[in-house]
Amino acid sequence: MKKTFLKTLLCTSATATALLWSAHAVAEEEVTVGYQQIVGPYVSAIAMKKFDEPLKAAGYTVKWRQFSSAGDISSALASGGIPIGVLGSTGIAAAATRGVNMQLFWILDNIGHSEALVVRKESGISKPEDLKGKRIGVPFVSTSHFHLLVALSKVWKMNPRDVRILNMQPPQIVAAWQRGDIDAAYVWPPALTTLLKDGTVLTDSEEVGKASVPTFDGIVVDKAWAEKNPKFMQAYTKVMADAYRDYNQNSAKWTESSPEVKGITQMIGGNAKDILEAMKMLVFPSAQEMASKTWLGGGAGSGAVKALTESAAFLKEQKQIDSVLPDYSGFVNASWAEQAAK
C-alpha cells in the first residue's frame, strides 16, 4: 500500500512537473518581429505594449527588432531570421518574385497623401505638361518612383524621358531643392514637409493610386510559419484590428502630448508634431476594409495583388528583378484580416 501511494505520488508529481514545464516552454517561445520607421497605430501599439498580454496568453513573447531598410527585412525573412516583417508594396513584390515564401496579411497604411509630387512655386509648373524638360528628384526604385512613372506614363500619357528624373535620397532632395537645383520632387515626410513650405502639390499617391494601383506598407509572414502558429496569428491580428479601430474612431485624441504619439517618438525618434502631420497624410484601413476586394480579398482580383503585379513590372523595367511572376495571389492572404474583423 505504501509503495502504491509513493508510486502514485511520484507519478502525480512528475505529471505536474511536466505540465508546468510544458506551459513554461510554450510561454517562453520567442518570436522576432521586424518593423521599420513608420508612423501609425501599429508602432504605437508596440510602444504601449498592447501586444504583450494577448500574445503571452497565446503562448508567445515578442522581440521587436527595428530594421533600417526593406532590403534588410527581406534578407532576414529569406534566411529565416524573422518570421514577420514590415515591407512596402514594391519591397513585397521584389521579395515575392525572388522566391521568398511569404504572404501579405495586413495593410499597415495606404500611402495616399504622404507621398507627393511637389513643384517649386517659382518653377512655372502648374499642370502636368509643364514638367517637360524639368528636373525631378526622387529616390529610385521606391514607391514614390513607381508612382511618379505611373503618373507620367499612364495618368498623363507623357513620355517619362521628356523630363529629367534624378536619383536622390530624401536628404539630397531637400539640399538640392534649397539650392534651386531641382524643379520638383516626389518624396515622403519629413522631406515632403520641408518642400511644402515653398512648394505646391501637383499630385500625390492618393490620386495616382485611384487612377492606377495604390502603394502601401504591409506586414508579411513566412507562409509555413503562419500555418504552424495560428494562435499567434489570431492574437496578433486581433490586437492590430483593435488598435486600428481605436485610432479611426478616436484620432482626434491623438495629440503631441498623448501617450500614443509619445510612444511612436520613443520607437522611431523624431518629434510629435511631425509625426502627427505625417499620420494625417496616411490612410489606415480597418480590418473589414482589408478583408475586402479593395485590399486583400478576392484572389487575383484583389487590390493588393494588382498592386504587386504592377510593382513587379516596374521593378523589372528598372532592372531590379529579372522577371514578373504570372500570378501573385499566392502571396496575399485575407483570412487573418477576415477573422480579426469579426
Side-chain angles (χ1 to χ4, degrees), residues 302-317:
S302 72
V305 171
K306 291 178 181 178
L308 295 181
T309 303
E310 292 288 338
S311 297
F314 160 71
L315 290 169
K316 185 175 183 297
E317 289 175 2

Side-chain angles (χ1 to χ4, degrees), residues 173-247:
I173 286 175
V174 172
W177 180 278
Q178 292 172 341
R179 291 193 304 267
D181 293 344
I182 55 177
D183 306 293
Y186 207 131
V187 71
W188 54 84
L192 176 60
T193 307
T194 301
L195 270 53
L196 286 173
K197 293 176 181 177
D198 58 351
T200 57
V201 173
L202 191 63
T203 191
D204 61 29
S205 288
E206 178 72 10
E207 292 182 4
V208 179
K210 288 178 179 178
S212 56
V213 293
T215 49
F216 58 85
D217 294 310
I219 307 181
V220 297
V221 62
D222 179 272
K223 183 179 179 181
W225 189 90
E227 291 173 350
K228 293 177 182 178
N229 295 272
K231 289 185 178 180
F232 177 94
M233 296 299 295
Q234 289 166 358
Y236 184 85
T237 50
K238 181 62 169 61
V239 173
M240 295 285 289
D242 291 344
Y244 273 56
R245 181 172 52 253
D246 180 66
Y247 174 77

Side-chain angles (χ1 to χ4, degrees), residues 115-131:
E115 292 187 6
L117 176 59
V118 182
V119 299
R120 298 178 65 88
K121 290 180 179 178
E122 65 272 23
S123 66
I125 303 171
S126 60
K127 53 187 181 300
E129 47 266 41
D130 294 335
L131 291 169

Side-chain angles (χ1 to χ4, degrees), residues 160-171:
R161 294 182 179 179
D162 288 341
V163 300
R164 296 175 60 188
I165 302 176
L166 307 175
N167 183 15
M168 297 180 173
Q169 294 305 309

